[in-house]
Amino acid sequence: MASGEVLGAIKISKSYPGVQALESIDFELRAGEVQALVGQNGAGKSTFIEIISGALRPDSGQIMVEGRAYPYLEPSKSIELGIQTVHQENQLVEELSVAENIYLFDLPGNRLGLVNYAQCQKAAGALLAELGIQVPAGRKMTQLTFIEKKLVSIAKAFSRQAKVLILDEPTASLDEKGKNVLFDIIRQNTGKGLGVIYISHNLGEIFEVCDRVTVFKDGKKVATHAVAEISMNTVVQEMIGRTTSSLYAREGGKAGTAAGAALEVEDFSREGVVDHVSFDVRPGEIFGIGGLVGAGRTELARMIFGLDPKDSGRLLLRGKDITPASPFDAIQKGIGYLTEDRKDSGLILGRPIFENVSLARLAKSLRLLLDLGRERGETGDISRQLDIKTPSLEQRVINLSGGNQQKVVLAKWLFAGSEVLIFDEPTVGVDVGAKSEIYRMMENLARQGKVIIMISSDNPELVAVCDRVGIMRDRKLVVVLEGEQISEENILRYSMGVGERD
Amino acid sequence: MNSAVATVGKKKTRITQSIVLIGIIVAICAVTSIVNPRFLRIQNIINIFQQISILGIVACGIGMLLVAGQIDISVGSQISLMGVIIGMVIEKLVGKPIPGVQAWQAALAIPLAVVATLVLGFLMGLLNGIVVIKSRAASFIITLGFMTAYHGAALLTSGGYGYSLYGHFELLGRGRVLNIIPIPILFFLGVVLITYLVLKYFRYGRFLYAIGGNRKAAYVSGINTNRITIIAYVVTGMCSALAALILISRVGSATATTGDAYGLDALAGVIVGGVALSGGRGNALNIFLGVMLIGLISNALIIMTIDPYMRDVIIGLIIIIAVTIAQYTSERE
């Protein structure tokens, strides 16, 4: 094994308005090693990878490739230097063959400038054989399975000279067999001096295949350890860090365990998306749903709201079946859904506040004509109740701050008379002040008897706000935490599947 | 308690847009009347309105569709096809020498032509809407297909020739109320008024804005986005039907291309009126002003004895300028 540095970073920083995404990151990848990159959602892993692969420019700092310093890399430069990235989502052209995809940016030509398909296929075949991937080079991508496509994208990374391989959640869609093929490829090539950056939430895999692990938290590097000298527990601890000040204190304390169920979520399931999820929400409580991005939380919420089809699932509000067939039906039955991305599917950004607030209620009503005066008055009342800060109700929503936008979405559902409110990542892009306002509103609504469910990837938020927290992993609800059990550490353990193993 | 929610309305964007349009219209009027004072005669002003009546009716339909983020470029061919049907029904039933026409034929022909046109307009709108929704393809492409298909249907129906109305069915296009105000103007103003009311005071109009502004959010808010969209296509088809009736009545004959120009001209008026192609914006007043501007330019060029072929060049340029300005202002926001 060679042991020189193939890739390094010196004091790399990157900030976005209001967020320090990366703060003075130092990093070193040695030839022949597999180094894991771990951290909670939003810790800065993706930003760091995008800087290394040239998709983003850092604000300051340097990238070192084989001893040479670069202030930033362009994507093409990064590839030319031998840094190859396999993204989480497949980035292949479905209509082309395996061979064409592998050599897409460097198709072998003949003297006339035409593509030499025979040579292309031969080279791809040889590459696939060398890597131990059993996929015919001439086959069209559309005919491949999910797993085969993933393996092709890995092969593609090796089609050009690769000194550094970045794998972003490479096993997310792989089965055991695919994983073994991948791990073999990694072991073979690290033996030849390849350096691998391995991003994963699966600590088990990391401990199986990686040499060192680097922990990111809140845009900073916490530490790098040799895997052999550290336990999974320590890694989890470092990912959480020490949270000193409490984020938010509930006014009336947590509701505790009132008897009975206000809302029963029964056996929601769709193959490959959500796996038989059931839970109850008790009267007066805020029920949290935690887990990693991609665990099936938003998909569950969309099914509960009637947005997406389901194989099974029943929703009972105080014993009454309110399973909705469509969003329209859901609204009739008193369900409101504050979507994960309010700009994408929560708000009509170009329209005024009052139109946004009254929309769901209008959809529910059967009146032909609008009562503009009454609408103005009532949407004004509710906007004042929620303290939406704006000079006028005519203000277009696009001009509001994130917190006020979220309040407009909430106002819409309250105005429509929703009894069940599902908040999906309600405080993303919301400033600290507005955050606690939103928590306070959720708390008050729960006290008034509304059923509140909050999906969040912000674990401190789940700990501070929720009475109970269900954790989803791999499409299943694996545990419901209560009382003292609700801690960042437990949420993270169950999210990543470390809890049961240790 | 922060009572920052004021009740005073601020309609800045809309007013500036309307004012710009009115400014341009006044400027054109001023220049033209200096070059040729006849421009300002009552008769010419009535002429202008008469000329834009049909365009305006079509534009209201397209305008509502655009507010919902959709487009229908087949409108011109729809009008031509319906025009040929009107001509065919009337010529077949009451055409040829008047003495040979039996009373029942004359009594039947016009109502039949009117009903056939309205039904056809309804059906073409419905078909366009359903296919756009079900295909999930861009409405521009789907209606481009329909444009060609309807054009072909018009050619087939006309057999390559035209139909003449032989002076029947003149009232709608050529009649005047009190001998002064042409009937088409009344229909035009009526349709503009209805469009205004629908967009401003009807739940349906509100939903058009919501869908055009953000289809996903509208759906999540419980709006039946597909139904609202299909209805908008039907409304557009009905506007085309009304336009076809008035047009053929005024022209007195029909060929397979009689209505073709109206589709894109109306679209031009709507776009110049500031209805965003991306949807969620626009109102009846601006559609009216946009159509006025298009009509005015045509009239002004004639009055100033400029080559009428210049008209299309100028209108084309105006569309490009209007869209570019709109793009820049929306980007700045």
Side-chain angles (χ1 to χ4, degrees):
Chain A
M1 247 211 259
S3 62
E5 177 188 286
V6 282
L7 178 75
I10 300 172
K11 298 213 178 307
I12 290 214
S13 296
K14 174 82 188 171
S15 64
Y16 295 105
V19 195
Q20 182 77 36
L22 286 180
E23 201 178 324
S24 195
I25 300 284
D26 287 324
F27 181 84
E28 176 217 33
L29 181 72
R30 297 175 195 150
E33 80 161 337
V34 184
Q35 187 173 153
L37 216 56
V38 298
Q40 300 203 56
N41 298 325
K45 292 167 296 179
S46 308
T47 311
F48 182 67
I49 291 314
E50 284 182 51
I51 285 173
I52 300 296
S53 62
L56 279 178
R57 289 186 186 195
D59 299 336
S60 60
Q62 285 178 322
I63 304 160
M64 306 290 297
V65 186
E66 294 189 301
R68 274 197 67 183
Y70 300 86
Y72 64 87
L73 297 172
E74 298 281 347
S76 56
K77 182 74 184 168
S78 173
I79 289 168
E80 190 192 312
L81 291 171
I83 301 169
Q84 313 297 346
T85 310
V86 178
H87 293 275
Q88 200 173 345
E89 302 85 27
N90 104 50
Q91 302 195 323
L92 301 163
V93 184
E94 291 282 318
E95 286 304 313
L96 295 180
S97 71
V98 171
E100 286 167 289
N101 264 294
I102 290 177
Y103 289 106
L104 192 59
F105 299 99
D106 193 18
L107 283 170
N110 58 20
R111 249 174 302 164
L112 295 172
L114 298 174
V115 176
N116 186 339
Y117 283 104
Q119 195 195 327
C120 175
Q121 236 180 68
K122 212 173 122 199
L127 178 67
L128 288 166
E130 191 196 325
L131 294 172
I133 299 171
Q134 286 163 357
V135 178
R139 194 164 284 179
K140 229 180 174 190
M141 290 310 294
T142 47
Q143 294 171 300
L144 300 188
T145 65
F146 215 72
I147 295 168
E148 288 171 329
K149 284 179 191 168
K150 188 88 208 181
L151 294 174
V152 170
S153 54
I154 291 163
K156 180 174 175 160
F158 283 99
S159 71
R160 283 173 283 201
Q161 168 231 31
K163 290 184 183 137
V164 174
L165 181 65
I166 300 172
L167 298 168
D168 189 359
E169 291 285 353
T171 55
S173 53
L174 291 185
D175 58 0
E176 270 314 304
K177 213 178 124 202
K179 256 181 219 179
N180 289 333
V181 174
L182 173 67
F183 290 175
D184 283 346
I185 294 173
I186 291 174
R187 290 195 187 103
Q188 260 177 39
N189 288 281
T190 47
K192 297 178 201 158
L194 176 78
V196 177
I197 299 177
Y198 192 98
I199 300 165
S200 177
H201 282 300
N202 189 326
L203 289 186
E205 274 173 32
I206 287 173
F207 276 71
E208 187 183 340
V209 76
C210 299
D211 303 306
R212 293 198 295 170
V213 53
T214 291
V215 182
F216 274 40
K217 171 167 170 53
D218 298 337
K220 297 190 198 93
K221 184 171 120 173
V222 181
T224 302
H225 304 280
V227 165
E229 295 161 11
I230 194 174
S231 71
M232 283 194 198
N233 270 329
T234 318
V235 174
V236 170
Q237 289 293 347
E238 288 187 348
M239 286 165 74
I240 298 165
R242 259 183 239 110
T243 23
T244 43
S245 63
S246 182
L247 174 73
Y248 171 78
R250 293 231 343 217
E251 228 167 26
K254 294 201 176 176
T257 51
L263 183 80
E264 294 162 68
V265 175
E266 267 185 28
D267 195 35
F268 272 80
S269 204
R270 185 165 93 239
E271 217 189 325
V273 181
V274 169
D275 195 353
H276 299 281
V277 170
S278 301
F279 60 89
D280 290 345
V281 182
R282 296 171 184 162
E285 77 171 352
I286 297 174
F287 188 89
I289 301 180
L292 301 173
V293 170
R297 297 170 301 164
T298 293
E299 291 77 3
L300 173 68
R302 291 174 61 91
M303 271 185 223
I304 293 177
F305 187 64
L307 256 170
D308 286 344
K310 56 181 182 290
D311 298 336
S312 70
R314 242 165 38 116
L315 198 64
L316 301 172
L317 180 63
R318 296 183 192 96
K320 201 177 137 219
D321 192 328
I322 58 160
T323 319
S326 66
F328 175 74
D329 197 26
I331 293 163
Q332 299 286 339
K333 290 171 173 164
I335 310 168
Y337 177 36
L338 291 86
T339 54
E340 182 179 25
D341 183 344
R342 57 183 170 267
K343 288 178 182 163
D344 176 70
S345 50
L347 295 163
I348 319 287
L349 286 173
R351 303 302 303 173
I353 293 170
F354 77 92
E355 286 189 15
N356 273 280
V357 172
S358 67
L359 203 57
R361 168 125 149 211
L362 277 179
K364 227 171 109 169
S365 90
L366 294 167
R367 301 178 48 155
L368 213 58
L369 284 167
L370 302 170
D371 183 342
L372 290 179
R374 212 178 112 200
E375 180 186 39
R376 208 59 65 94
E378 290 180 354
T379 54
D381 288 344
I382 199 155
S383 305
R384 255 186 303 275
Q385 272 171 36
L386 297 186
D387 203 14
I388 295 170
K389 292 177 188 67
T390 169
S392 145
L393 286 177
E394 301 272 350
Q395 185 71 247
R396 300 194 311 157
V397 174
I398 198 166
N399 297 325
L400 300 180
S401 69
N404 281 309
Q405 286 184 346
Q406 194 62 279
K407 289 185 197 171
V408 170
V409 182
L410 179 57
K412 172 173 77 178
W413 293 117
L414 294 178
F415 195 52
S418 303
E419 283 297 307
V420 176
L421 288 161
I422 308 168
F423 292 77
D424 197 346
E425 305 285 2
T427 59
V428 168
V430 169
D431 67 83
V432 183
K435 260 188 195 176
S436 33
E437 275 185 273
I438 288 170
Y439 301 145
R440 187 78 64 215
M441 283 168 198
M442 291 169 68
E443 201 184 335
N444 288 335
L445 290 168
R447 208 176 299 134
Q448 288 161 24
K450 309 256 191 220
V451 175
I452 309 288
I453 298 173
M454 174 168 79
I455 297 171
S456 176
S457 299
D458 184 342
N459 293 342
E461 168 176 289
L462 288 171
V463 174
V465 178
C466 300
D467 297 288
R468 291 189 302 149
V469 179
I471 307 293
M472 285 188 75
R473 184 176 77 238
D474 287 342
R475 307 185 285 279
K476 292 189 198 67
L477 187 76
V478 289
V479 68
V480 177
L481 303 171
E482 270 183 73
E484 292 298 307
Q485 295 174 315
I486 304 176
S487 65
E488 277 189 65
E489 189 178 336
N490 274 337
I491 293 173
L492 199 57
R493 278 169 183 286
Y494 284 104
S495 301
M496 300 196 304
V498 180
E500 298 100 301
R501 229 170 292 191
D502 285 17
Chain B
M1 180 91 205
N2 186 333
S3 57
V5 180
T7 41
V8 189
K10 212 172 63 172
K11 301 174 185 172
K12 212 171 134 200
T13 51
R14 204 179 84 190
I15 284 177
T16 46
Q17 210 158 41
S18 308
I19 285 177
V20 168
L21 280 168
I22 290 170
I24 297 170
I25 288 170
V26 169
I28 292 175
C29 290
V31 171
T32 317
S33 55
I34 289 166
V35 174
N36 187 340
R38 270 191 314 171
F39 177 78
L40 282 181
R41 282 188 191 170
I42 296 287
Q43 190 50 50
N44 189 49
I45 289 168
I46 289 178
N47 268 347
I48 293 172
F49 272 91
Q50 184 163 18
Q51 280 158 4
I52 63 172
S53 291
I54 295 166
L55 196 63
I57 291 167
V58 181
C60 284
I62 295 184
M64 282 195 266
L65 208 47
L66 243 65
V67 166
Q70 301 285 326
I71 202 168
D72 188 343
I73 58 165
S74 73
V75 165
S77 320
Q78 286 182 28
I79 296 171
S80 293
L81 175 58
M82 288 185 281
V84 172
I85 300 276
I86 298 165
M88 186 180 75
V89 169
I90 293 178
E91 187 182 304
K92 290 264 154 79
L93 286 176
V94 293
K96 311 285 157 53
I98 301 281
V101 177
Q102 295 191 12
W104 66 266
Q105 284 175 318
L108 195 64
I110 290 171
L112 187 65
V114 171
V115 170
T117 306
L118 295 176
V119 169
L120 192 60
F122 180 91
L123 290 178
M124 285 191 288
L126 188 66
L127 184 65
N128 287 11
I130 289 174
V131 175
V132 165
I133 292 296
K134 293 291 169 198
S135 69
R136 294 159 179 252
S139 55
F140 178 84
I141 305 298
I142 295 295
T143 55
L144 178 70
F146 276 117
M147 180 175 89
T148 311
Y150 294 145
H151 176 65
L155 283 171
L156 283 173
T157 315
S158 71
Y161 300 99
Y163 293 104
S164 169
L165 305 190
Y166 293 95
H168 298 286
F169 191 45
E170 278 193 333
L171 182 69
L172 190 60
R174 298 190 173 193
R176 285 178 183 241
V177 172
L178 303 174
N179 251 340
I180 306 169
I181 305 164
I183 289 177
I185 294 182
L186 296 178
F187 274 97
F188 168 44
L189 295 178
V191 170
V192 170
L193 181 67
I194 291 169
T195 306
Y196 174 78
L197 294 175
V198 166
L199 288 180
K200 182 134 197 210
Y201 294 105
F202 279 66
R203 200 172 74 116
Y204 180 77
R206 181 68 64 77
F207 287 174
L208 289 177
Y209 285 112
I211 290 174
N214 186 343
R215 195 176 183 82
K216 269 195 225 170
Y219 183 67
V220 170
S221 302
I223 296 172
N224 189 333
T225 49
N226 286 353
R227 187 168 65 201
I228 301 288
T229 307
I230 291 171
I231 292 173
Y233 276 97
V234 170
V235 168
T236 304
M238 297 299 284
C239 286
S240 308
L242 180 59
L245 288 166
I246 296 173
L247 175 67
I248 299 307
S249 170
R250 204 181 81 196
V251 179
S253 65
T255 72
T257 57
T258 307
D260 283 7
Y262 285 94
L264 294 182
D265 273 4
L267 190 59
V270 171
I271 291 169
V272 169
V275 180
L277 276 171
S278 50
R281 276 170 132 188
N283 61 63
L285 174 65
N286 283 357
I287 294 172
F288 174 79
L289 292 174
V291 170
M292 271 285 283
L293 189 61
I294 299 284
L296 204 58
I297 290 167
S298 313
N299 185 275
L301 293 179
I302 294 166
I303 292 282
M304 294 194 287
T305 63
I306 294 171
D307 187 336
Y309 291 131
M310 272 303 287
R311 172 189 175 277
D312 286 357
V313 175
I314 291 175
I315 288 175
L317 291 176
I318 286 175
I319 295 172
I320 292 166
I321 293 166
V323 170
T324 309
I325 291 173
Q327 193 64 35
Y328 274 99
T329 46
S330 70
E331 265 169 25
R332 214 174 329 127
E333 282 166 4

